[in-house]
Each structure stands twice: as structure tokens, then as C-alpha cells.
Amino acid sequence: MKAVGKLREGPGIDVFDFERPKPGPTEVLVEVKATGICGTDLHFYHWDDYARKRNPGFPKVLGHEFSGIVVEVGEDVRSLKVGDKVAGEPHIPCGNCYYCRVGKAHICENLRLYGVDTLYGSFTKYTILPESIAVKIPDDIDFEIAALFEPFGVALHAVNDAEIRPGDVVVVLGCGPIGLYIQQLARISGASKVVGVEVSRYRLELAAKIGVADELIDASTTDPIKQVLKLTNGRGADVVIEASGSVVAIKNSLEIAAKSSRIVQVGTASRYVEIDPNVFINKELRISGIFGRLMFDTWYKVIELVRSRKVNLLQVVTHKMSLEQAQEAFELLTRGEAGKILFIP
Ligand code: ZN
């Protein structure tokens, strides 16, 4: 079967033949129906420090945002059966450490990431994953929507952590798929104003087309700090959610935030950022980071939100491609000329 990933060190992406894996006793074999490309996959394409440090070997199949059908179960699997519709939670917790035992498995001390730390991933026809991280999805939810539960779950975790209250002005830095999802969730959480900030023309146009944000700021031509202050009578935002990981945006978040406001950092910083603690002391800012999704509280809430039709996960999808088009897909994302790209294996 065809797979997309890495056959060797260095930049680039490979399309290669990969043997269909056999599930272990506590694993399930899943026929992948839809799988999205994430920023993490781009680390491997560019072969940066993150990829060099984490790569488990070759051949390596990439991909960790996906949905599919269980086609085989290991002998000890009890909660899933052949024919079940599932989506993959990429965090593989150990189940025994302090954090796993206090209900925070998503930040497990021995955490491994499916599709990152494993040789198998979802950019192929059949993949294996532990039963414990295969989330059963109701039959009435489409595969393409279920493949987006993972990034949407990150957005939901962030918005829950931000504790948006009705009337809040919410500024979202970054209009990638997760930033766009955060805009939707801020809207239904009662924000009086949702402001999106982005530098990519393509992503600004996508955000404008989706039309959730009240204001979009092109940070390549406009100073977002001045603009947010102008929109808030000089006070700043009640909630800032940083979803770009850009060093400039992270620094800006402290200036955009009003006194006594909340900043949630979602985007992984592209490099070390120096910030002045006196800014968040004097402003009494509450700054938090979020990592992945709550397991599995976030998942159950995502399922119910999708069923309520209060959110639209598909609107960030700009391309559906075959595995053979992987090269083109990664080039589009590198140029910032795509929202979410789904592979349909
Ligand atoms: Zn653990």
C-alpha cells in the first residue's frame, strides 16, 4: 500500500510502498478514510530540529489527524469491534505516571505521539494504533469531519482554558485552521467582538470568506497592537489566544492584552522568545499554555458540538488530495497557500 512520510534524513517528503501492519494484542487496524496535514508534519518535511530529535527511524509514515473504520482488532481489545468508526487521538499516554493517574493523560510524563514518535502514521491506507487512543465516533458523523476532531479539539481546549465570558473582546493571533476554529468557538462562547490577526494574504482571504471574525487585521501592513487598542477604546483585549507560534505575535500578545486579561498560548513557538515579566505583573495577566486535548473530555464535547451544528469543521478545508499528490500538498502549505489539506487515501 502507498504511504507518505520519510525514507531518509533531510528535507523533503517520500511516497513509498509500506507493508500493511498487523495489530498487536491491544491495538486496532484502521482503514484510513480521511487524514489531515498538520504543522507537525511540516517539521519532518523541512527536517528541522524538532524532526531530527524525534524521528524514530525509517521508513516512517507521517500523519496523525485521521478517521477511519476498524478492520481488525487485537486479541485483548474489548471496547472496539470490526466496523466501528473511529478517529485517532495522537497522544499515547503510559497510563501509570502521576499525570495519567490524576486525569491529565494528555501531559503524561512518558508521552509518545502517534505519527511523530511512531513508525506508523495515518498517511496511508491502513494504520495501527492502541485501542486506548482510538475514539469511537457516531455513525452519523462524516469521516472528513471526524478527521478534523484532533485540531478542532486543540481549539476547544484553548477556548475552555481562556474562560471566555459573554461580552469579552477576543483576539486570535493566527488564522490557520486552529485559529479559525478558535474564532468560531469564541463566537458561540459569547464574545462581543472576535478579531483575527494574520500575515498571510491567503489565510486572511480564507478568514474573510468564512466570515466568523468581526475584524481581520493584516499584520503585514497594520500594527495589530495599535489596531486592537483602537477597537477597544485603548483598553486592549479581554482574551488573547495566540495560535501562530510566531515570535512577533507572542511578544505582541502581551501588549494586545488588557489589564486583568487572559492569554492562552496554543501555537508552538518557532524559537526562544524573551518576554518581560513586569508586563504581566503590572497588568495582572493570566498566561497559560495548552497542549493537545483533554483525554477524553474534549473529544466528547467536540462530538456534541458537531452534532449540535453550532460549529462547522469543514470550512477550513481548502484541498482534498490523493497520497500521490503529497509533494504538491507540502509545497502549498510551505508557501502558506492552503488552509487544511485532507488526504483521501
Ligand atoms: Zn503517563
Side-chain angles (χ1 to χ4, degrees):
M1 61 184 191
K2 281 277 170 287
V4 169
K6 304 288 290 188
L7 287 175
R8 60 188 71 82
E9 292 181 21
I13 196 77
D14 297 302
V15 181
F16 51 91
D17 284 310
F18 193 74
E19 208 175 308
R20 175 171 156 163
K22 193 88 189 126
T26 58
E27 292 175 331
V28 293
L29 179 71
V30 173
E31 182 184 348
V32 180
K33 293 291 191 180
T35 176
I37 307 180
C38 165
T40 307
D41 301 311
L42 282 175
H43 288 298
F44 285 86
Y45 175 65
H46 296 301
W47 199 248
D48 60 13
D49 281 348
Y50 179 91
R52 276 195 292 269
K53 278 182 197 148
R54 298 199 74 134
N55 188 63
F58 304 101
K60 171 176 169 52
V61 183
L62 281 166
H64 57 272
E65 299 177 356
F66 73 102
S67 65
I69 293 182
V70 174
V71 290
E72 195 179 331
V73 298
E75 60 202 46
D76 295 332
V77 170
R78 294 289 173 266
S79 66
L80 293 167
K81 59 181 191 311
V82 171
D84 281 345
K85 201 178 228 187
V86 292
E89 159 59 66
H91 288 202
I92 309 172
C94 75
N96 299 309
C97 75
Y98 175 83
Y99 295 101
C100 282
R101 288 180 179 218
V102 299
K104 293 183 184 286
H106 66 298
I107 48 169
C108 164
E109 284 181 65
N110 308 302
L111 191 68
R112 293 168 66 235
L113 298 179
Y114 164 91
V116 174
D117 301 316
T118 59
L119 287 174
Y120 48 87
S122 59
F123 291 166
T124 186
K125 189 75 185 163
Y126 295 96
T127 189
I128 44 169
L129 71 162
E131 169 191 19
S132 58
I133 58 162
V135 184
K136 199 171 169 186
I137 301 297
D139 285 334
D140 60 340
I141 292 176
D142 290 349
F143 286 113
E144 290 177 12
I145 295 173
L148 297 161
F149 278 14
E150 195 263 10
F152 190 81
V154 173
L156 182 61
H157 185 189
V159 168
N160 279 328
D161 198 60
E163 294 179 4
I164 295 170
R165 297 170 194 127
D168 279 351
V169 173
V170 179
V171 173
V172 185
L173 304 177
C175 294
I178 290 176
L180 293 170
Y181 285 154
I182 291 169
Q183 290 180 12
Q184 281 195 40
L185 289 162
R187 164 69 59 236
I188 63 169
S189 300
S192 59
K193 198 174 275 175
V194 177
V195 182
V197 181
E198 174 59 62
V199 291
S200 146
R201 174 160 297 277
Y202 182 95
R203 290 187 159 182
L204 281 164
E205 281 169 9
L206 178 63
K209 197 177 109 194
I210 289 171
V212 173
D214 300 288
E215 300 274 348
L216 288 168
I217 300 172
D218 180 349
S220 70
T221 57
T222 307
D223 180 349
I225 301 170
K226 279 187 189 152
Q227 191 61 20
V228 170
L229 291 176
K230 202 167 125 189
L231 291 167
T232 54
N233 298 319
R235 205 166 57 80
D238 301 298
V239 170
V240 181
I241 304 184
E242 204 301 303
S244 76
S246 135
V247 171
V248 176
I250 292 168
K251 288 186 167 178
N252 285 351
S253 67
L254 295 173
E255 307 299 327
I256 286 169
K259 285 188 174 183
S260 189
S261 67
R262 306 174 290 293
I263 299 177
V264 178
Q265 183 65 39
V266 184
T268 306
S270 52
R271 58 182 166 82
Y272 176 79
V273 187
E274 196 171 70
I275 53 173
D276 179 0
N278 291 335
V279 176
F280 54 83
I281 289 170
N282 295 337
K283 287 175 115 174
E284 287 207 337
L285 298 180
R286 208 184 76 196
I287 304 178
S288 59
I290 64 112
F291 184 63
R293 298 139 302 276
L294 300 179
M295 295 165 69
F296 284 86
D297 178 85
T298 308
W299 284 87
Y300 297 128
K301 290 198 168 104
V302 168
I303 289 170
E304 292 314 317
L305 272 172
V306 167
R307 291 180 118 178
S308 76
R309 301 183 186 280
K310 288 189 170 73
V311 291
N312 180 343
L313 274 59
L314 290 175
Q315 61 184 197
V316 307
V317 176
T318 54
H319 299 74
K320 291 179 203 173
M321 302 171 95
S322 67
L323 294 173
E324 285 78 6
Q325 291 174 289
Q327 181 66 35
E328 186 190 344
F330 278 85
E331 283 174 14
L332 280 171
L333 283 169
T334 300
R335 292 200 302 269
E337 291 170 9
K340 178 61 74 182
I341 297 180
L342 290 180
F343 284 129
I344 310 296

